[in-house]
Amino acid sequence: MSLFDSLVVAGMPFVPKKLVRHFADPYIAGESLQDAIDTVQRLNRQGICATIDVLGEGITRKEQATRAVDRYIQVVEAIEREKLDANISIKPTQFGLGIDPAFCRDNYRRVIEVVKPYDNFIRIDMEDSPFTTLTLDLYEDLVKEYPRIGVVVQAYLRRTLHDIESRLAPVKANIRLCKGIYIEPHEIAYRDFDIVRKNYILLLRKALEAGMYVGIATHDEMLVWEAYRLIDEMGVEKDQYEFQMLLGVTESLRRQIVQDGHKMRVYVPFGQDWYPYSTRRLKENPKIAGYVAKDILGISRK
Ligand SMILES: Cc1cc2nc3c(=O)[nH]c(=O)nc-3n(C[C@H](O)[C@H](O)[C@H](O)COP(=O)(O)OP(=O)(O)OC[C@H]3O[C@@H](n4cnc5c(N)ncnc54)[C@H](O)[C@@H]3O)c2cc1C
């Protein structure tokens, strides 16, 4: 990332919200449930399935969590009504993990009760490190009650290898493997780009060897290639993995993976609480950060 782009990323909180929204548009389906349905239908027509995320996180009042649960129930019903090839992803802090873990668990249970007759899948997203253990505990409690549930692990965390070996592999957990998006202290997280990549490959191999189902969530072509290699070398069956990408990111690589005959799932976020998610995406995309700065400065884009 150039110095200019780094400055833009550092200055993101001062970028007008309207402009952030403009540049973040490709990353979110829209503000309404209908926007999410339209996006998923478009993806389904391309042979791609989806996971729907109702935007929102880090809530501080129980009523906010209760509203999020109601919204997710509407999503589950829409998936069935519209016959979408999609499941849901839920952030634990949106269901109140930061307020009270028992309350959060009960909120997931409310959604599980609605999902159960449809036998659809629920993914528990992974957030920053104060919530890692609590989220794994939550997963372990819920999967005993409803097996169609999975969790996320982050390759940048030093603890993840141990978490897979000691907690997730023994129960053949269904995981999404990603690099990790939050800013974490060096004591607990690898910061070096190559080490995170190498750890990702190690974790992927461990998980596949253990017979776990893996959502290979990355836009990093080198990791996609490494995943292809492992799938080939280990003779991994198609029902043991899928690739996953975020809406609006590396669509040409996405098309390539689908053409190569692999299952692809796209993360489709929607809702009014788009700001934190959007700024995380913009910070990951140095080019877009540059566009934002140029737009503010009135420099035309080439
Ligand atoms: C389906 C899915 C679910 C996720 N869930 C979680 C989660 O629960 N918890 C969590 O901590 N993280 C989650 N992440 C985010 C993940 O941890 C990474 O931050 C993110 O995927 C970027 O890492 P990467 O592997 O794509 O590699 P990178 O090296 O970051 O990206 C590889 C290439 O992809 C392109 N790219 C990446 N991001 C963007 C962007 N925003 N705009 C344009 N181009 C881009 C660039 O060309 C970049 O060089 C998820 C990611 C995916 C795909």
Side-chain angles (χ1 to χ4, degrees):
M1 196 185 288
S2 72
L3 179 63
F4 180 61
D5 289 330
S6 305
L7 286 172
V8 172
V9 165
M12 194 64 84
F14 308 105
V15 175
K17 250 185 151 178
K18 232 174 136 181
L19 204 58
V20 173
R21 179 59 208 265
H22 171 67
F23 285 104
D25 237 22
Y27 302 128
I28 46 179
E31 294 198 5
S32 72
L33 176 56
Q34 190 55 49
D35 292 329
I37 293 170
D38 293 345
T39 302
V40 174
Q41 283 174 334
R42 208 167 38 249
L43 289 164
N44 285 174
R45 281 196 294 272
Q46 298 165 26
I48 296 171
C49 54
T51 186
I52 301 179
D53 166 55
V54 180
L55 289 165
E57 56 199 84
I59 56 103
T60 50
R61 295 194 318 275
K62 285 191 170 178
E63 312 86 79
Q64 292 171 292
T66 305
R67 270 203 302 278
V69 175
D70 294 341
R71 204 78 184 113
Y72 266 104
I73 289 172
Q74 288 170 359
V75 173
V76 170
E77 283 164 352
I79 289 174
E80 295 311 315
R81 190 179 61 244
E82 306 288 337
K83 300 195 179 357
L84 303 177
D85 189 352
N87 58 38
I88 51 174
S89 289
I90 308 173
K91 289 200 172 25
T93 66
Q94 188 181 12
F95 273 18
L97 190 63
I99 302 175
D100 172 7
F103 168 70
C104 175
R105 201 166 47 240
D106 286 344
N107 284 331
Y108 273 88
R109 284 192 180 122
R110 273 188 62 206
V111 177
I112 287 171
E113 282 315 307
V114 182
V115 169
K116 239 182 210 167
Y118 307 126
D119 200 30
N120 204 346
F121 181 82
I122 301 173
R123 174 76 61 194
I124 306 176
D125 282 338
M126 186 59 82
E127 299 174 273
D128 44 341
S129 56
F131 299 106
T132 312
T133 300
L134 288 171
T135 302
L136 293 174
D137 293 346
L138 176 71
Y139 162 75
E140 279 176 354
D141 284 348
L142 293 175
V143 79
K144 285 183 204 135
E145 299 167 23
Y146 185 62
R148 302 266 298 136
I149 196 157
V151 71
V152 179
V153 291
Q154 297 156 321
Y156 66 11
L157 287 189
R158 296 173 193 271
R159 60 176 283 172
T160 299
L161 179 60
H162 181 68
D163 286 334
I164 288 186
E165 286 180 336
S166 65
R167 299 185 73 161
L168 299 170
V171 294
K172 283 201 173 33
N174 179 321
I175 58 163
R176 172 194 298 148
L177 175 61
C178 65
K179 283 185 181 171
I181 176 69
Y182 302 90
I183 296 165
E184 300 289 359
H186 190 224
E187 300 80 66
I188 63 163
Y190 302 113
R191 292 229 182 104
D192 182 272
F193 188 76
D194 287 332
I195 297 178
V196 175
R197 268 181 166 171
K198 283 184 182 151
N199 202 40
Y200 192 106
I201 299 161
L202 173 69
L203 299 171
L204 179 58
R205 189 164 53 75
K206 291 272 177 196
L208 292 173
E209 275 171 1
M212 296 161 71
Y213 187 94
V214 188
I216 306 166
T218 184
H219 318 94
D220 185 337
E221 189 157 11
M222 191 266 199
L223 291 182
V224 170
W225 182 84
E226 285 286 354
Y228 276 23
R229 188 178 61 81
L230 283 176
I231 289 163
D232 182 54
E233 274 178 20
M234 296 169 62
V236 181
E237 299 289 342
K238 288 217 183 297
D239 62 1
Q240 206 196 323
Y241 72 93
E242 63 189 38
F243 284 89
Q244 298 188 351
M245 288 193 171
L246 300 170
L247 187 68
V249 181
T250 57
E251 289 182 12
S252 63
L253 180 58
R254 183 176 94 192
R255 269 194 300 279
Q256 190 59 54
I257 295 171
V258 175
Q259 270 173 27
D260 290 341
H262 301 282
K263 182 169 180 174
M264 170 64 71
R265 186 178 303 278
V266 167
Y267 191 94
V268 176
F270 83 96
Q272 288 168 355
D273 198 2
W274 51 268
Y275 188 75
Y277 179 86
S278 301
T279 48
R280 279 203 298 275
R281 294 283 83 80
L282 289 175
K283 284 177 186 171
E284 270 185 328
N285 183 349
K287 281 195 191 135
I288 286 197
Y291 293 156
V292 173
K294 285 171 188 154
D295 217 277
I296 291 174
L297 299 172
I299 304 168
S300 67
R301 265 185 279 157
K302 297 216 171 105

